[in-house]
Amino acid sequence: MQVINKWIEKEPSQNAVTILRDRYFLKDGEGNYLESTWDEVAKRIARHVAAAEVNYTNDIEEIKNAEEHFYQLIKSRIFLPNSPTLFNAGKTMDRQLFKKDIEETTLEDYKTIFDSRTKHNMLSACFVIPMDDSMNAIFDAVKNAALIMKYGGGVGYDFSVLRPKGSSIAGTGGKSSGPISFMHVFNTAASTIEQGGARRAAQMAVLRYDHPDVFDFINSKKDNKGSNVLNYFNISVNIDNPKKFKKMLEEDGDLTLEHPTSSIKKTIKANDLMNKMVENAWKTGDPGMLFLGRHNQYYAMSEHTPVTATNPCGEEPLPPFGSCNLGSIDVAKLVEDIDLGNPNSEDASEFQEIVYWAIRFLDDVIESNIYPLKEIEEISKKQRFIGLGIMGLADALYKKELPYNSEQTRKFMAKLIAELAYFSHVASTELAKERGNFPDFQRSKYPNGFIPFPMLDDEIDEDLKVWNQKIRQHFQGEATKYKRNVQTNTIAPTGSISNLADTSSGIEPNFLLSYVRYMTNKEGDRVPLSYINPILMEKIGTNMTEELKAEIIEKGSIQNIENIPDEIKKIFVTSMDIPPKDHLLAQHVIQSYLDASCSKTINMPKSSTIEDVKAIYLQALELNLKGLTIYRDGSLETQVLTSASKE
Ligand code: ADP
């Protein structure tokens, strides 16, 4: 493919190489590097995952063809899988198998790779672990989560099943200490786990809005400065039916907090709950809101295994013991040559091919993955969750000269994600024809013509109407018979992999156009790396003087720099330049085409009031969203990126 040829020889930046060395190159037991180039990493992953195809064919050429496509996607950094796949594929296996040229690799080699997988080869990023309301079950969940986090996976839990604080405990005559006290147990476990040497732990705690301990939950992180209180948790209040809750707020209605296994019952004002959530979110960003009812509405197996929580960053709703592996396509690289979002473009087929191989890769990961628990393996293989998403949206918009916060751009976003969703689902159907449906398919909603996302109105845009028609036709036609994966699309934060790809993260605007990032080198010293967005550099071209550079690095945004023309300012916006409402609308249009969800933060300026935050919370209840995360600038001391002037 032409677009791949263009990017395959481009070497990762210094920043990307530093991250590779820190986290992704394989090491032996003594900590010596076994790899030193991106090429070796790409080859290792492609070969490990392609080896899963021995399950479907004995034709060595077919397997090699898959490996070659996977290799090209990864090496060009047009597509990258989630971090656990990057650092756990091929781990502890015979290195020689990965050093051979593809021409010399035999069917036996692929079989050996497949058969020599061990618990170290855990490839997924997202898990949800259930717990029951008993000591045994809670500590089982702690153990299960510890196993997952050890290999770099993130875990979500629904704590709503635990009885509220002060409820009686049969047999001991004692009183329960409540869900929040158990969250501290999980937090401590997370803090003591070596994240496979690769990263710290991340968890999501969910609690229903009508659980009697909901105020304790909402307050559980209110004194958080970023590194002290429940710092291995994000917390989200589950409001199953956001429209009903909104009505309750408008009518200033009462809300009964109760729990099936407890006699504790309290009546509160719904508005008091809302105000407390908003006040704390204003202070620290937590809690977010999660609308699991909407997640279930668009989940094809909700009647059998409803989703109960999401992974830590909120983009992947899952049922108990569910797992999902993610991958992201860098659209910033593609927009230079492919007219993304346009259903009539001649190069749509090139994008379709990229999506097909990315979906096939993620489907193969399900087979090549070693699951930390047999329950997880069971449901992951019965439903086959995968999450293909994008990264580089903000940089793609810079290249296309589209301001993130405009109506026209939102139409582009919708068309782009509609195209991704359509091609992903077509690929999953193609794979089903060859490999079989996901085993739960007949029990799912797909045979009845179910469309797993809401879509936007046909009237908004002519091209979008075409995508909508194609999507309807697919789900009313072939998808009623063939579907390999229960869900196909998730947009991850891509916190690490976007750095490897030298692109902007996920669907977020760039947080800053320039920054100084401190990296710790091998000797343990903090070294500054300064960065200016390369697309901006190119746009300003020869007008980029040393003084201007210094001013951009100082400010992080160009909005208040005199010598830059307004047309450039309009396009090169950062998170903080964009009004919160436009963040929310971007999330809305993108989420309208996702069967899973997306990671999106609604950034708010430091000067925002509690009322401003409330307005966003209320609007989120109204739009067709699956959740909400806000962040007010400067509200956590450990904010990762700050412009030089704020250091
Ligand atoms: P990456 O870029 O490293 O692949 P993302 O930032 O896209 O990861 O996050 C994707 C998902 O991976 C998260 O929602 C979470 O489930 C998991 N994850 C991310 N960071 C961590 C971490 N430090 N520990 C455990 N899981 C994580």
Side-chain angles (χ1 to χ4, degrees):
M1 271 181 281
Q2 266 176 351
V3 65
I4 287 186
N5 294 339
K6 174 170 172 183
W7 291 95
I8 200 153
E9 295 307 332
K10 290 223 164 89
E11 288 301 324
S13 68
Q14 187 53 41
N15 183 26
V17 171
T18 309
I19 297 170
L20 275 173
R21 203 176 325 110
D22 275 0
R23 301 196 201 145
Y24 295 97
F25 287 151
L26 278 190
K27 291 182 189 156
D28 66 15
E30 269 102 55
N32 303 310
Y33 286 107
L34 298 170
E35 290 170 330
S36 58
T37 63
W38 174 239
D39 190 61
E40 289 170 292
V41 178
K43 194 164 163 184
R44 163 170 60 83
I45 299 160
R47 188 158 294 171
H48 177 115
V49 174
E53 305 228 348
V54 297
N55 284 337
Y56 308 118
T57 180
N58 277 327
D59 179 352
I60 178 77
E61 291 312 317
E62 201 180 322
I63 302 174
K64 283 185 182 177
N65 183 39
E67 177 184 327
E68 189 56 33
H69 277 98
F70 298 165
Y71 167 80
Q72 291 190 1
L73 282 182
I74 296 168
K75 174 75 199 316
S76 63
R77 297 177 293 153
I78 282 175
F79 163 83
L80 291 180
N82 54 209
S83 282
T85 305
L86 288 168
F87 48 63
N88 291 335
K91 203 170 178 178
T92 70
M93 291 180 180
D94 178 1
R95 283 297 297 153
Q96 295 313 316
L97 290 167
F98 295 89
K99 286 190 169 160
K100 275 191 180 178
D101 279 346
I102 191 163
E103 292 78 31
E104 290 161 23
T105 307
T106 64
L107 189 58
E108 273 317 301
D109 292 334
Y110 285 112
K111 286 186 174 160
T112 307
I113 290 173
F114 192 73
D115 292 340
S116 61
R117 291 166 306 133
T118 65
K119 62 180 182 189
H120 298 286
N121 306 117
M122 204 287 287
L123 308 180
S124 298
C126 311
F127 296 83
V128 164
I129 291 290
M131 62 189 90
D132 277 339
D133 192 16
S134 75
M135 259 324 171
N136 245 341
I138 295 169
F139 281 88
D140 273 350
V142 174
K143 186 187 82 186
N144 292 339
L147 287 175
I148 293 167
M149 290 188 281
K150 184 173 166 197
Y151 295 108
V155 194
Y157 321 86
D158 177 20
F159 281 92
S160 312
V161 291
L162 304 189
R163 75 194 75 180
K165 185 171 73 183
S167 311
S168 310
I169 305 172
T172 67
K175 302 275 185 207
S176 165
S177 53
I180 289 67
S181 67
F182 288 108
M183 280 167 60
H184 287 276
V185 177
F186 283 84
N187 198 65
T188 307
S191 74
T192 41
I193 290 158
E194 268 259 334
Q195 281 289 293
R199 55 177 170 183
R200 72 194 287 273
Q203 303 175 102
M204 167 68 87
V206 176
L207 198 79
R208 283 182 61 88
Y209 73 121
D210 55 1
H211 189 288
D213 288 358
V214 69
F215 281 92
D216 287 352
F217 182 74
I218 291 170
N219 286 330
S220 66
K221 291 195 71 175
K222 86 172 178 350
D223 299 321
N224 184 35
K225 299 266 191 301
S227 62
N228 52 355
V229 184
L230 291 174
N231 50 327
Y232 293 91
F233 268 112
N234 289 325
I235 61 172
S236 260
V237 176
N238 171 26
I239 298 166
D240 242 323
N241 185 336
K243 293 228 163 103
K244 190 174 126 199
F245 186 64
K246 178 116 193 287
K247 193 147 178 270
M248 239 186 242
L249 297 174
E250 282 160 4
E251 292 167 357
D252 197 21
D254 287 342
L255 171 65
T256 306
L257 308 182
E258 56 191 334
H259 194 269
T261 63
S262 171
S263 57
I264 292 174
K265 210 171 180 175
K266 305 173 193 167
T267 301
I268 59 148
K269 284 275 175 216
N271 270 311
D272 288 344
L273 178 69
M274 184 66 166
N275 290 340
K276 199 70 204 165
M277 284 201 293
V278 166
E279 186 189 321
N280 289 355
W282 176 86
K283 246 188 230 163
T284 67
D286 277 311
M289 291 193 290
L290 187 60
F291 309 136
L292 283 177
R294 279 194 189 137
H295 280 287
N296 278 314
Q297 186 183 346
Y298 295 107
Y299 167 44
M301 287 295 293
S302 65
E303 287 151 18
H304 307 280
T305 55
V307 300
T308 53
T310 68
N311 67 328
C313 304
E315 71 274 16
E316 186 59 41
L318 287 167
F321 291 119
S323 81
C324 185
N325 69 91
L326 312 177
S328 307
I329 293 176
D330 180 8
V331 290
K333 294 197 173 78
L334 301 187
V335 286
E336 289 184 14
D337 300 283
I338 300 181
D339 187 13
L340 292 173
N342 176 359
N344 307 312
S345 121
E346 280 174 12
D347 40 43
S349 60
E350 203 164 350
F351 184 54
Q352 177 162 19
E353 201 176 341
I354 290 170
V355 171
Y356 170 81
W357 284 104
I359 291 283
R360 181 154 158 178
F361 177 94
L362 297 175
D363 191 62
D364 281 350
V365 167
I366 297 174
E367 297 303 307
S368 47
N369 204 356
I370 293 288
Y371 295 87
L373 291 171
K374 69 172 186 336
E375 292 91 335
I376 296 178
E377 175 160 13
E378 203 173 299
I379 190 163
S380 302
K381 288 191 170 164
K382 269 189 175 163
Q383 299 193 21
R384 309 187 70 86
F385 296 87
I386 55 174
L388 179 62
I390 61 163
M391 53 184 164
L393 176 64
D395 282 355
L397 297 180
Y398 290 166
K399 287 184 184 173
K400 285 180 76 76
E401 308 199 333
L402 286 169
Y404 192 95
N405 47 332
S406 81
E407 193 57 38
Q408 188 201 354
T409 305
R410 284 194 282 275
K411 285 181 187 169
F412 168 71
M413 292 175 183
K415 288 184 275 190
L416 168 66
I417 307 302
E419 180 174 26
L420 173 78
Y422 174 67
F423 287 149
S424 301
H425 274 280
V426 167
S428 177
T429 290
E430 289 308 312
L431 287 177
K433 288 181 193 166
E434 292 162 23
R435 302 175 168 186
N437 285 325
F438 66 90
D440 271 342
F441 176 79
Q442 279 308 331
R443 298 203 298 153
S444 80
K445 299 175 192 168
Y446 287 123
N448 297 326
F450 171 69
I451 303 179
F453 40 80
M455 305 208 283
L456 292 174
D457 222 337
D458 277 357
E459 303 313 316
I460 291 176
D461 181 277
E462 276 307 307
D463 286 347
L464 191 64
K465 191 172 174 179
V466 177
W467 289 119
N468 284 354
Q469 278 163 352
K470 283 175 186 282
I471 288 167
R472 282 191 206 105
Q473 209 174 19
H474 173 73
F475 285 104
Q476 282 154 14
E478 284 206 307
T480 61
K481 295 200 190 72
Y482 303 104
K483 194 59 67 192
R484 181 71 176 158
N485 311 90
V486 71
Q487 282 178 350
T488 58
N489 296 111
T490 306
I491 301 182
T494 70
S496 303
I497 62 169
S498 61
N499 279 301
L500 291 185
D502 291 308
T503 196
S504 61
S505 49
I507 49 167
E508 295 290 5
N510 280 296
F511 195 72
L512 295 165
L513 277 167
S514 62
Y515 50 79
V516 181
R517 193 190 201 115
Y518 288 89
M519 302 289 294
T520 307
N521 68 13
K522 267 194 291 187
E523 287 73 39
D525 302 324
R526 269 162 62 83
V527 282
L529 280 177
S530 63
Y531 163 95
I532 297 187
N533 184 285
I535 309 159
L536 176 67
M537 288 286 280
E538 200 176 314
K539 183 79 196 167
I540 297 184
T542 50
N543 294 332
M544 183 65 92
T545 59
E546 283 307 312
E547 278 140 331
L548 185 55
K549 242 188 200 174
E551 194 173 357
I552 295 174
I553 290 184
E554 165 77 15
K555 296 197 163 132
S557 157
I558 56 171
Q559 300 306 314
N560 297 320
I561 300 181
E562 254 177 39
N563 295 335
I564 295 181
D566 282 351
E567 312 89 74
I568 298 187
K569 285 184 180 168
K570 233 168 106 183
I571 293 159
F572 287 86
V573 282
T574 66
S575 305
M576 290 303 168
D577 303 329
I578 296 171
K581 190 169 146 278
D582 286 319
H583 280 281
L584 201 65
L585 290 175
Q587 181 182 337
H588 168 68
V589 298
I590 289 171
Q591 217 153 50
S592 296
Y593 289 90
L594 293 173
D595 49 8
S597 190
C598 58
S599 166
K600 176 84 190 86
T601 302
I602 310 304
N603 283 101
M604 302 189 71
K606 193 168 188 166
S607 58
S608 311
T609 62
I610 293 180
E611 279 310 307
D612 296 334
V613 176
K614 186 166 181 179
I616 290 292
Y617 268 61
L618 289 173
Q619 208 177 357
L621 293 172
E622 195 58 46
L623 291 170
N624 221 341
L625 303 182
K626 288 178 168 173
L628 178 75
T629 305
I630 69 129
Y631 180 70
R632 191 172 60 89
D633 189 27
S635 56
L636 287 184
E637 283 173 2
T638 51
Q639 193 166 306
V640 185
L641 291 175
T642 43
S643 65
S645 60
K646 295 178 196 159
E647 268 282 318

